[in-house]
Amino acid sequence: MMNTKDISYLQMAYALAEKAKGWSSPNPYVGALIVKKDVIIGHGYHEKPGTPHAEIIAIEKAGSSARDATAYITLEPCTHWGRTPPCVDRLIEARLKRVVISSLDPNPVVFKKGVKKLREAGIEVSVGLLKEKNDELNEVYIKYITRNLPFVTAKVATSLDGKIATREFDSKWISSPRTREYVHLLRGEYSSLMVGVNTILKDDPLLTVRHPHWKGKHLFRIVLDSHLRFPLKAKILETLEEGKIFIFTLSNASQEKADLLREKGVEVIPLGNFKIEIKKVLSSLANKGISSVLVEGGGRVLTSFLEEKAIDKIYVSISPKLIGGEKALTFFEGEGVRFVRDSLKLRKMNWYDLDEEIIVEGYF
């Protein structure tokens, strides 16, 4: 009976945690409930960095009634000072009777320490119920905090025969208006958006989030540009208030061009002498506190990421169009594998239709 109640209350806590999706990065998504005699007396979720954590909000709402109550928390409470005080101390001060924690925090600074401190204070602690929900919800945080690398998702729009553009490099529009709207909804879940310079040159995109659900959402915009061909009149330069722009280039790229871009507010990052290495780019982004990247193309960038096995998750929207042509672009080119047994294979796949198109989602 208790386990059934615990599951129900943790499900509610996860529903709260999901409200923070796209907003609390690089922190995890966390929800909390305070329950006493089957009545919810406090609830909260961590909205964004620098604001109170879920447990603190729930405890403050519960007030003195939290004494002898049960707390349901989706992630182990922190034990260290960051932008906010340790949550575990407030839980102990509230004199709770029991704490149900869905998942341990993989952060080495916290891992098992929160549970230990609660138990040492005489509080009954249960751990592990619905852990798989946290593994899915906080997949970005888990990779970022354990490997110091951002979680990478690729988004691709293709024709039925796998083309992302015609032989004349025309790609507007392979996907339907509703699918493009969905992409803007997807963009908001990430910290940053990445393209190659060819996308800037051919499409002159803004690379912003234009969906009412994400009003006020800012994205870091990342451009891979070996030879600094980035145009000084690109439209994206007019949107710096909506997110910082990083351009990764080679060390021997034009210093004059780099200085002109910096004067416009762009951060130009020389990285390597012969080739922009994807893993070094990702490491640099992680060091800047960027926990997730949505890679939107073009073909060369996607191929580089796939060849280096640097993509964690992919969305492919497939339109019922046939483009054809040997010179028409696909999103995975390069030399390819010699044998089918060496091909990259998706796991944990989902697929669904949107208007006339099919969207395939999977992990590598």
Side-chain angles (χ1 to χ4, degrees):
M1 182 65 180
M2 184 61 70
N3 194 56
T4 302
K5 285 185 178 181
D6 288 348
I7 289 173
S8 296
Y9 287 129
L10 278 178
Q11 293 277 20
M12 293 180 199
Y14 273 111
L16 289 168
E18 287 173 359
K19 291 184 176 182
K21 202 165 188 180
W23 296 107
S24 67
S25 174
N27 293 350
Y29 306 133
V30 184
L33 294 179
I34 308 295
V35 180
K36 190 171 186 178
K37 296 179 180 179
D38 292 332
V39 176
I40 297 171
I41 59 174
H43 59 88
Y45 68 95
H46 178 52
E47 296 184 18
K48 58 183 179 179
T51 63
H53 289 187
E55 308 93 310
I56 304 304
I57 296 171
I59 285 288
E60 288 180 349
K61 286 182 178 178
S64 60
S65 297
R67 182 170 182 170
D68 293 327
T70 298
Y72 292 89
I73 312 170
T74 58
L75 190 68
E76 182 178 15
C78 63
T79 56
H80 63 295
W81 278 85
R83 299 192 206 185
T84 57
C87 292
V88 71
D89 293 344
R90 289 291 302 276
L91 293 171
I92 292 170
E93 290 170 9
R95 305 185 73 175
L96 294 162
K97 182 179 181 180
R98 181 170 178 251
V99 177
V100 180
I101 298 168
S102 180
S103 182
L104 295 171
D105 190 332
N107 187 342
V109 177
V110 180
F111 184 65
K112 293 186 176 180
K113 295 181 177 68
V115 171
K116 181 182 178 183
K117 196 165 183 180
L118 289 169
R119 285 176 174 158
E120 287 175 346
I123 297 173
E124 179 188 346
V125 182
S126 300
V127 183
L129 199 61
L130 300 185
K131 176 185 177 296
E132 67 281 357
K133 287 188 70 68
N134 181 71
D135 292 344
E136 181 179 350
L137 179 64
N138 278 311
E139 60 187 7
V140 167
Y141 171 74
I142 291 169
K143 180 184 179 183
Y144 176 70
I145 207 68
T146 59
R147 296 175 55 190
N148 194 31
L149 287 171
F151 188 92
V152 179
T153 297
K155 189 281 298 180
V156 187
T158 77
S159 61
L160 193 58
D161 54 342
K163 307 296 186 180
I164 61 171
T166 70
R167 67 176 184 270
E168 300 294 333
F169 306 110
D170 177 46
S171 60
K172 291 185 177 179
W173 293 103
I174 290 177
S175 55
S176 69
R178 194 173 176 195
T179 298
R180 297 198 299 274
E181 180 185 8
Y182 172 76
V183 167
H184 277 279
L185 190 61
L186 184 67
R187 277 183 180 180
E189 295 183 6
Y190 292 84
S191 306
S192 63
L193 183 62
M194 180 184 290
V195 297
V197 70
N198 284 335
T199 298
I200 302 293
L201 291 168
K202 291 167 187 171
D203 299 336
D204 199 14
L206 298 177
L207 303 181
T208 54
V209 182
R210 299 183 296 281
H211 193 284
H213 179 75
W214 298 113
K215 189 174 181 180
K217 169 80 180 188
H218 291 179
L219 279 175
F220 294 105
R221 279 76 62 78
I222 304 155
V223 181
L224 304 186
D225 182 5
S226 298
H227 305 294
L228 276 190
R229 294 184 293 142
F230 192 102
L232 294 173
K233 294 185 179 180
K235 291 179 182 176
I236 191 175
L237 294 174
E238 301 170 7
T239 67
L240 279 164
E241 72 282 355
E242 297 187 49
K244 196 166 185 178
I245 300 171
F246 299 103
I247 298 179
F248 286 90
T249 189
L250 295 178
S251 300
N252 57 8
S254 168
Q255 186 61 49
E256 181 182 358
K257 182 71 171 288
D259 289 341
L260 289 171
L261 286 165
R262 289 184 179 118
E263 286 175 9
K264 290 181 176 289
V266 176
E267 184 170 339
V268 180
I269 306 168
L271 201 65
N273 297 314
F274 305 104
K275 178 185 176 182
I276 297 176
E277 296 182 36
I278 299 300
K279 290 181 180 177
K280 287 185 178 179
V281 169
L282 294 176
S283 181
S284 176
L285 294 175
N287 291 336
K288 295 178 183 297
I290 296 174
S291 62
S292 61
V293 182
L294 181 63
V295 181
E296 290 199 3
R300 288 183 182 178
V301 171
L302 288 163
T303 295
S304 295
F305 268 83
L306 288 165
E307 287 180 337
E308 295 198 29
K309 297 181 178 179
I311 295 176
D312 299 293
K313 186 176 184 179
I314 191 167
Y315 290 88
V316 182
S317 65
I318 304 169
S319 177
K321 300 181 177 79
L322 294 174
I323 291 176
E326 292 182 1
K327 295 183 179 180
L329 299 177
T330 64
F331 72 88
F332 189 16
E333 299 192 330
E335 293 184 5
V337 298
R338 292 184 62 192
F339 305 102
V340 173
R341 65 173 180 265
D342 299 324
S343 59
L344 300 178
K345 187 175 181 180
L346 292 181
R347 58 184 181 84
K348 293 171 61 178
M349 285 180 58
N350 289 308
W351 54 88
Y352 36 93
D353 60 90
L354 196 62
D355 282 346
E356 60 184 12
E357 298 174 349
I358 296 172
I359 296 179
V360 177
E361 169 191 353
Y363 294 80
F364 288 103

